[in-house]
Structure formats: C-alpha cells, structure tokens
Amino acid sequence: DGGITQSPKYLFRKEGQNVTLSCEQNLNHDAMYWYRQDPGQGLRLIYYSQIVNDFQKGDIAEGYSVSREKKESFPLTVTSAQKNPTAFYLCASSNQPTRNTEAFFGQGTRLTVV
Amino acid sequence: ILNVEQSPQSLHVQEGDSTNFTCSFPSSNFYALHWYRWETAKSPEALFVMTLNGDEKKKGRISATLNTKEGYSYLYIKGSQPEDSATYLCASEYGNKLVFGAGTILRVKS
C-alpha cells in the first residue's frame, strides 16, 4: 500500500527537550511538507523540501529543524527553542511540479509538552 | 505571509440540505487552488485541484468553481448526507508552497 506514515501518533515531551517526528512516504514523491495545526487555526507551513538534500523554511520555521537525506524521509525536530510546541503536526507529500497535483497526508502526530 | 480565508467557520445543516462554502485567496502569483476533506481521525484527502479561471469540477454531489481574477472559490454540496460531516480545507498554491485556510467544519444531522 502506498502512502505516508507518521510516527508516533502521540508524543509527550518534557520542557527543554528536543524531539523528532518521523515522516516516511513510499509514493516516490519529490516534495514533502510539514504543517502545524493549532485549535481554530489552519495548517501552517513549517518547512518544505522539493528535492533530496534541499529544504526551505515555511512561515513558522523558528524552533524547528529538518533534514532530507533520503527521498522517502523528512523528519522534523522540534527543538527546545520552540516556545509553544504543543500542537498537531501533519506531514504531506506531492509530485513535482506541484501545480495541479494533489498533496497526500499522513495521519499526524499530536505533541504535548509536559 | 499569504492569507487564505474560508467562510463560514462552521455550518450545521439537516440531511438533504444543499450547502456551500467560500475560499478567498490572494490572486497574484496564483498557481492552483486545492480543496480537501478532513474527516475526524483520518488524513485530509483531496477533492479537487483547479488551476484555470472559470474551472468547474464535480465529484458526485460535490462541486467546486474557481475565479482566479477576483481570488475566490466555492465548494457546493448538494443533498448533504451525514457522511459529508468533515472539515473542508482549501489551499492556494504559490510557487512551491501550499497555503491553507482555517477550514469550514460541516456537521450534517440526520
């Protein structure tokens, strides 16, 4: 089955700790994205990558880091510098070029800082 | 930061009612407009991707229109069913970025 897998589904982190969210896709998509959702708000773009070994900051990249060493994988690290990390995180992927091509989403990771 | 707006924020309708939502987006540097349906405990799934001014797309009881000159898209659901209950997201594509609105939550009562 082709798709996007995010893990874990739920994650608890102590303040001051870094944590890494996993996103893997077997759709052979070039582009991958990380979004954050807070209550009452839309999906906000954290980082995106159009090709292996390249990525760009989205609208709310501060306190986050990513890597794209393999086409299938785009892990997101939430660092201790992220002031308000408790949120729902969604990973997505799409073909290149993105125009007229739908995005496919994982099931999300809910991160809670305790 | 590009701003995509959706209205209404939420909607409660009776089974069989027809309904529609609006998505407004900046029309400059526009590439494409996406609509997604996001059911509880599932991943968002694409409904439509539209690029051309005047585009109309249809999938069963759901259809969408696009006006790129004035920067808006409408999503229509004819004869709403309880299984249509979901959050409907629109996203506007600018270069390599997909910018999402906050979504419209639809609840259909049987």
Side-chain angles (χ1 to χ4, degrees):
Chain A
D1 269 319
I4 300 184
T5 302
Q6 287 186 244
S7 61
K9 195 170 180 181
Y10 299 96
L11 190 55
F12 295 88
R13 189 196 90 176
K14 289 184 181 177
E15 269 192 59
Q17 285 182 338
N18 292 355
V19 64
T20 297
L21 282 57
S22 169
C23 179
E24 303 276 330
Q25 54 100 357
N26 60 4
L27 300 166
N28 200 34
H29 286 167
D30 287 309
M32 296 187 75
Y33 310 84
W34 273 106
Y35 290 91
R36 167 182 172 138
Q37 188 192 36
D38 293 284
Q41 296 197 39
L43 300 177
R44 292 186 291 166
L45 184 63
I46 305 172
Y47 268 98
Y48 61 105
S49 167
Q50 299 298 303
I51 197 167
V52 174
N53 292 323
D54 188 42
F55 48 83
Q56 286 81 41
K57 292 182 179 180
D59 299 320
I60 55 165
E62 187 176 345
Y64 299 97
S65 66
V66 293
S67 63
R68 187 86 187 275
E69 295 174 5
K70 297 187 296 182
K71 191 175 187 178
E72 313 83 64
S73 178
F74 191 41
L76 174 75
T77 297
V78 185
T79 75
S80 56
Q82 169 47 237
K83 291 187 170 60
N84 187 18
T86 294
F88 185 72
Y89 292 87
L90 261 182
C91 178
S93 72
S94 66
N95 269 327
Q96 279 281 49
T98 53
R99 189 191 292 213
N100 208 21
T101 304
E102 65 191 80
F104 291 80
F105 289 84
Q107 293 218 327
T109 293
R110 187 166 297 280
L111 173 64
T112 304
V113 173
V114 295
Chain B
I1 295 180
L2 297 162
N3 200 27
V4 176
E5 296 185 352
Q6 291 189 246
S7 62
Q9 190 174 8
S10 66
L11 203 50
H12 294 252
V13 301
Q14 288 294 127
E15 184 176 354
D17 287 350
S18 293
T19 187
N20 64 86
F21 326 133
T22 304
C23 175
S24 302
F25 54 90
S27 53
S28 58
N29 300 317
F30 166 85
Y31 275 7
L33 193 285
H34 300 225
W35 280 101
Y36 293 85
R37 175 166 59 202
W38 193 0
E39 296 178 68
T40 304
K42 294 186 177 180
S43 308
E45 289 185 343
L47 289 170
F48 307 111
V49 180
M50 298 181 287
T51 56
L52 300 175
N53 186 44
D55 251 355
E56 288 189 32
K57 294 216 171 178
K58 188 174 180 183
K59 186 183 286 189
R61 294 178 292 99
I62 304 177
S63 60
T65 60
L66 178 65
N67 183 321
T68 59
K69 292 182 180 177
E70 296 181 39
Y72 65 83
S73 174
Y74 294 132
L75 186 79
Y76 300 92
I77 302 180
K78 187 177 177 182
S80 303
Q81 299 297 308
E83 58 264 30
D84 296 327
S85 295
T87 298
Y88 290 82
L89 298 170
C90 77
S92 189
E93 197 176 322
Y94 300 94
N96 296 321
K97 293 168 60 170
L98 259 184
V99 180
F100 281 84
T104 292
I105 301 170
L106 174 67
R107 292 290 174 256
V108 182
K109 290 184 181 179
S110 57

